[in-house]
């Protein structure tokens, strides 16, 4: 039903910025939340940020607060992740995801049913 297509990944030096985009398609796209997750080699997929689709509330993991900003354009069915002041520890494959229900656990991988293909972000030192 829902397809998520990510773009914007690449290689950047520490201290630099990257802006990721995730365009959603599908009939009656109206998720409860859109989230960004990341997975580094050998690590589990972890929550990065989320935004309530029909509202403005946002959530961030502690390590990215003040550096990353999640935003959305409902008319374009697109969610963004602006990543500033990047550090090597941010290196990972970044995934966008859609949570279809009204679960309060927007930071949980298990709550999201739709996932993008992922885009690599590499931060060099």
């Amino acid at each position: 039903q829902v397809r998520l297509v990510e773009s914007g990944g690449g290689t950047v030096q520490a201290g630099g910025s990257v802006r990721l985009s995730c365009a959603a398609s599908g009939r009656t796209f109206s998720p409860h939340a859109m989230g960004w997750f990341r997975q580094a080699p050998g690590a589990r997929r972890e929550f990065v940020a989320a935004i309530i689709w029909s509202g403005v509330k946002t959530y961030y993991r502690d390590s990215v607060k003040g550096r990353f900003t999640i935003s959305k354009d409902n008319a374009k069915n697109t969610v963004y992740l602006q990543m500033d002041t990047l550090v090597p520890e941010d290196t990972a494959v970044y995934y966008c995801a859609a949570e279809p229900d009204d679960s309060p656990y927007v930071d949980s991988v298990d709550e999201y049913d739709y996932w993008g293909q992922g885009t690599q972000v590499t931060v060099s030192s």
Side-chain angles (χ1 to χ4, degrees), residues 1 15 20 25 39:
Q1 296 184 29
L20 304 181
S25 62
Q39 188 166 23

Side-chain angles (χ1 to χ4, degrees), residues 15-78:
S17 299
V18 171
R19 184 176 180 85
L20 304 181
S21 299
C22 176
S25 62
R27 184 164 49 185
T28 316
F29 181 73
S30 58
H32 168 66
M34 292 292 296
W36 286 96
F37 294 78
R38 66 188 182 187
Q39 188 166 23
R44 67 176 62 184
R45 191 168 299 185
E46 65 182 17
F47 171 76
V48 177
I51 187 167
I52 303 300
W53 190 248
S54 62
V56 295
K57 188 178 294 292
T58 58
Y59 307 83
Y60 299 92
R61 71 178 296 109
D62 288 343
S63 63
V64 308
K65 288 180 179 178
R67 300 190 298 119
F68 291 10
T69 303
I70 187 171
S71 61
K72 60 186 176 69
D73 187 334
N74 295 76
K76 296 181 178 179
N77 286 347
T78 301

Side-chain angles (χ1 to χ4, degrees), residues 2-10 19-25 34-39 45 79 92-98 113-121:
V2 177
R3 186 186 182 202
L4 306 176
V5 180
E6 304 172 15
S7 61
R19 184 176 180 85
L20 304 181
S21 299
C22 176
S25 62
M34 292 292 296
W36 286 96
F37 294 78
R38 66 188 182 187
Q39 188 166 23
R45 191 168 299 185
V79 63
V93 176
Y94 283 72
Y95 301 87
C96 66
D113 290 345
Y114 305 101
W115 295 84
Q117 78 285 356
T119 183
Q120 176 71 44
V121 175

Side-chain angles (χ1 to χ4, degrees), residues 103-116:
S103 171
Y105 306 107
V106 296
D107 60 345
S108 175
V109 170
D110 296 335
E111 296 299 322
Y112 291 78
D113 290 345
Y114 305 101
W115 295 84

Side-chain angles (χ1 to χ4, degrees), residues 77-98:
N77 286 347
T78 301
V79 63
Y80 307 93
L81 184 67
Q82 177 68 40
M83 303 187 292
D84 299 322
T85 319
L86 286 161
V87 295
E89 290 74 21
D90 295 320
T91 296
V93 176
Y94 283 72
Y95 301 87
C96 66

